[in-house]
């Protein structure tokens, strides 16, 4: 069983201590909701666990092959990327191949008679077979569609804030990490998208740590709740209502 351990973590900004000496674990398949009033340091704690920020004291311990994906409340995306290029951003060989494949497809739409592009596409298709990349590509497009994004060739720079949030959410979902960290994932989602996300997360095989003010979402998705209050962390079994 893969477990991540947060050991004696402390974080301050200036003279304000957000939290001190926090220790807890998140086990495999646990879906944890982190709650607390604004300003208690919920987002800061998520960033520390995700490796985006560093604690003043303490450490995060997990196995060498443990993977973490993080979706920020305000995502930082690349304006010059198309939606699919952003979705497949990353250093993994399969993502590099998917980016090149989608780029070739786009070029073929503009130059359908290009022999060199057809040859290039054929070679990439064989590489896609070898890396089982088709499922990843299909899954990415399905998730984007479920989140209300249907034109995959749109440039990130042309999207609204809400659309960018949906793209960023899809980007972490397709990675299927051991720990999925989500900061306010339901922001900018309509009812149908929220319902789909609830169902998706309730079936997720890894662990989840999320912050949301949507109490109904917490009830439907989580099986454990952390409350951050006064610099201390309190743990409860069950969902928010329990």
């Amino acid at each position: 069983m893969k477990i991540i351990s947060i050991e004696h973590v402390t974080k301050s900004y200036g003279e304000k201590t957000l939290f001190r000496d926090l220790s807890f674990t998140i086990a495999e398949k646990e879906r944890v909701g982190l709650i607390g009033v604004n300003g208690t340091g919920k987002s800061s704690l998520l960033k520390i666990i995700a490796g985006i920020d560093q604690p003043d004291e303490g450490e995060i311990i997990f196995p060498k092959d443990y993977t973490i994906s993080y979706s920020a409340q305000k995502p930082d995306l690349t304006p010059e990327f198309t939606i699919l290029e952003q979705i497949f951003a990353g250093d993994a060989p399969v993502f590099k191949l998917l980016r090149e494949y989608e780029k070739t497809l786009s070029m073929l739409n503009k130059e359908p008679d290009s022999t060199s592009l057809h040859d290039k596409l054929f070679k990439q298709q064989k590489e896609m077979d070898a890396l089982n990349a088709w499922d990843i590509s299909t899954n990415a497009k399905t998730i984007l569609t479920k989140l209300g994004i249907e034109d995959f060739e749109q440039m990130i720079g042309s999207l609204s804030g809400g659309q960018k949030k949906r793209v960023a959410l899809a980007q972490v979902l397709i990675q299927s990490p051991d720990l999925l960290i989500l900061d306010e994932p339901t922001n900018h989602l309509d009812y149908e998208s929220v319902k789909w996300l609830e169902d998706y997360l309730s079936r997720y095989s890894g662990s989840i740590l999320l912050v949301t003010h949507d109490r109904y979402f917490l009830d439907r998705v989580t099986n454990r709740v952390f409350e951050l209050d006064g610099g201390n962390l309190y743990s409860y079994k069950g969902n928010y209502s329990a």
Side-chain angles (χ1 to χ4, degrees), residues 5-164:
S5 298
I6 288 74
E7 302 284 352
H8 307 291
V9 165
T10 295
K11 186 65 177 179
S12 300
Y13 284 105
E15 296 183 356
K16 181 179 181 181
T17 299
L18 293 177
F19 40 81
R20 182 183 299 279
D21 199 31
L22 298 187
S23 294
F24 58 90
T25 61
I26 301 175
E28 198 170 302
K29 296 186 178 180
E30 280 195 314
R31 299 191 295 274
V32 182
L34 176 61
I35 64 173
V37 298
N38 290 338
T40 54
K42 299 187 298 297
S43 292
S44 295
L45 182 56
L46 295 190
K47 290 178 182 178
I48 288 172
I49 297 172
I52 306 298
D53 198 1
Q54 297 299 315
D56 299 330
E57 299 176 14
E59 59 183 336
I60 314 298
I61 303 171
F62 49 79
K64 286 184 178 180
D65 61 345
Y66 196 86
T67 55
I68 300 172
S69 293
Y70 166 70
S71 179
Q73 189 173 154
K74 295 181 179 179
D76 183 18
L77 307 182
T78 304
E80 297 81 15
F81 280 0
T82 67
I83 288 174
L84 281 180
E85 285 173 335
Q86 181 67 59
I87 289 292
F88 299 135
D91 295 329
V94 67
F95 283 174
K96 292 180 181 179
L97 175 58
L98 284 165
R99 289 198 300 271
E100 290 301 314
Y101 176 75
E102 293 295 340
K103 183 178 179 179
T104 303
L105 277 181
S106 180
M107 293 171 66
L108 262 176
N109 286 332
K110 300 172 184 176
E111 304 177 53
D113 298 325
S114 171
T115 302
S116 62
L117 285 176
H118 278 284
D119 291 343
K120 186 176 183 180
L121 186 69
F122 179 72
K123 180 182 178 182
Q124 289 170 340
Q125 287 171 337
K126 293 177 67 175
E127 293 173 352
M128 294 270 285
D129 290 336
L131 291 178
N132 295 318
W134 298 108
D135 288 345
I136 295 175
S137 178
T138 300
N139 190 37
K141 293 173 182 177
T142 298
I143 289 174
L144 282 167
T145 301
K146 293 293 185 180
L147 292 173
I149 302 291
E150 297 182 352
D151 182 359
F152 309 138
E153 292 301 315
Q154 280 184 283
M155 304 300 292
I156 294 297
S158 70
L159 302 181
S160 67
Q163 289 173 317
K164 290 177 182 176

